[in-house]
Amino acid sequence: MTEKERVLSILDKYKLKAKKSFGQNFLINDGIIKRIIKSLDISSFDCVIEIGPGLGSLSLPISTEAKKFILVDADRDMISVLNDILPKKDDIKLIQSDFLKYNPDEESSFDNRLFVGNLPYNITSELIEYFLKCSFKKMSIMVQKEVALKLDYEKNKKDKSYIGAFLKTFGEYKIVTFVDSSSFYPQPKVDSAFISLERKKEIDFSLYPIYKALFKDPNKIILNCLKQYKIYQKALDSLQKNDNPFLKMRARQLDIDELFSLAKEIKNMN
């Protein structure tokens, strides 16, 4: 049975439909699923936490390798299906919850956990920020293709984001595979990409708002961006006094190390 046949049979059996309110589009491409699972290196983590597991396209293969597996879905119907189709094992736990309200620290340690998810695209940024705040060893998630490209920070590229800059400061960012819209049921209007971020160093999340401020307006120099935030006035005065050359540059003109150095300097001065 193909993954598409499996998904359609489950929807028919349980009289369910994909819910727009939960951003549900079920992955049905067998080749893509195998590629994603291979990239996860599941057995090397103490705990795998899947966000929005849906009908188990990734959950089923993950469940055979994970030492501890926690699945979190806001839709009680999906939890009910997963409860029926997943193996009955003590190391597998289903939680019906809005993930942004779930505390992963209650059951796993940040230093060796893997976040996996096919995220609702309307809250991608909020979820990535949440993962970063909670911290992890590796994050592997499905996002819209345009978002994946925007997150791949490169110096001097106007279309790159502050989130992408922070991600690359945090660790190694990789686009694992692009995923055509036909790989989902129902088929969305956009193409997707499965991305991964492996932590290489622990970055204080308090630096994140500073990155956001530095990239406030891609057409403005850093001096004018920081002027919009009273909270950074003390640091800005000090940077101006020391004639910091970065103030006359746009944030995108700085590389990852320069952005990190400047953000730390602002935090320490504030």
Side-chain angles (χ1 to χ4, degrees):
M1 181 183 292
T2 67
E3 185 60 19
K4 182 177 181 179
E5 291 170 340
R6 188 190 72 84
V7 166
L8 291 177
S9 68
I10 289 176
L11 292 173
D12 180 61
K13 177 181 177 180
Y14 290 86
K15 308 303 179 188
L16 297 174
K17 292 183 179 180
K19 300 173 185 176
K20 289 184 179 180
S21 59
F22 289 112
Q24 290 174 347
N25 297 93
F26 306 115
L27 186 60
I28 56 171
N29 186 314
D30 295 271
I32 292 294
I33 291 170
K34 289 178 182 178
R35 198 176 305 167
I36 288 172
I37 294 300
K38 184 178 180 180
S39 75
L40 296 178
D41 192 21
I42 296 164
S43 61
S44 66
F45 298 93
D46 294 335
C47 181
V48 179
I49 302 176
E50 186 178 8
I51 306 92
L55 297 176
S57 296
L58 297 179
S59 315
L60 288 167
I62 289 175
S63 68
T64 65
E65 296 184 48
K67 297 172 184 174
K68 183 177 183 180
F69 189 22
I70 300 171
L71 304 91
V72 184
D73 203 302
D75 186 353
R76 66 178 68 252
D77 288 332
M78 297 298 107
I79 292 294
S80 178
V81 171
L82 290 166
N83 188 57
D84 286 347
I85 66 175
L86 283 172
K88 300 298 185 287
K89 297 165 63 178
D90 291 339
D91 53 10
I92 296 177
K93 184 174 183 179
L94 297 171
I95 298 174
Q96 194 259 312
S97 171
D98 176 344
F99 189 77
L100 292 173
K101 297 178 181 177
Y102 169 70
N103 181 8
D105 293 337
E106 292 180 354
E107 299 175 274
S108 64
S109 174
F110 77 91
D111 60 349
N112 199 27
R113 66 181 166 215
L114 165 66
F115 284 128
V116 181
N118 182 4
L119 309 184
Y121 290 173
N122 60 329
I123 57 169
T124 297
S125 295
E126 291 94 327
L127 281 168
I128 290 177
E129 289 172 3
Y130 184 73
F131 297 155
L132 287 168
K133 189 174 183 179
C134 294
S135 196
F136 50 83
K137 178 62 176 176
K138 187 175 181 179
M139 172 185 75
S140 296
I141 58 176
M142 189 79 74
V143 299
Q144 191 172 329
K145 180 179 179 180
E146 287 74 11
V147 172
L149 294 171
K150 191 174 182 180
L151 291 175
D152 193 7
Y153 183 80
E154 293 180 66
K155 180 180 176 180
N156 290 321
K157 297 288 186 179
K158 188 176 180 178
D159 64 335
K160 303 305 180 181
S161 71
Y162 63 90
I163 302 180
F166 193 81
L167 291 180
K168 283 204 169 178
T169 304
F170 187 90
E172 182 182 350
Y173 176 86
K174 182 188 299 182
I175 297 176
V176 175
T177 183
F178 291 112
V179 186
D180 186 85
S181 62
S182 63
S183 296
F184 296 92
Y185 179 84
Q187 185 170 334
K189 295 179 181 179
V190 298
D191 290 333
S192 303
F194 195 78
I195 64 173
S196 75
L197 177 71
E198 187 169 357
R199 189 184 78 224
K200 296 301 181 182
K201 54 185 175 182
E202 197 59 36
I203 304 298
D204 190 338
F205 188 74
S206 65
L207 294 177
Y208 182 76
I210 301 177
Y211 276 70
K212 196 171 183 178
L214 296 175
F215 284 82
K216 173 69 174 175
D217 189 326
N219 294 316
K220 290 183 178 180
I221 60 174
I222 289 173
L223 171 65
N224 292 332
C225 286
L226 290 177
K227 279 182 178 179
Q228 300 178 62
Y229 296 86
K230 289 184 179 179
I231 190 174
Y232 301 128
Q233 188 59 54
K234 183 178 178 181
L236 181 57
D237 291 341
S238 180
L239 289 170
Q240 286 182 293
K241 184 178 180 180
N242 295 328
D243 198 26
N244 189 295
F246 292 152
L247 291 179
K248 297 177 182 179
M249 300 171 67
R250 294 175 177 82
R252 67 173 184 270
Q253 294 177 295
L254 277 60
D255 63 27
I256 294 301
D257 292 336
E258 291 169 335
L259 284 166
F260 184 47
S261 176
L262 178 59
K264 286 195 300 181
E265 192 172 358
I266 292 171
K267 182 181 185 297
N268 293 334
M269 290 176 178
N270 228 41

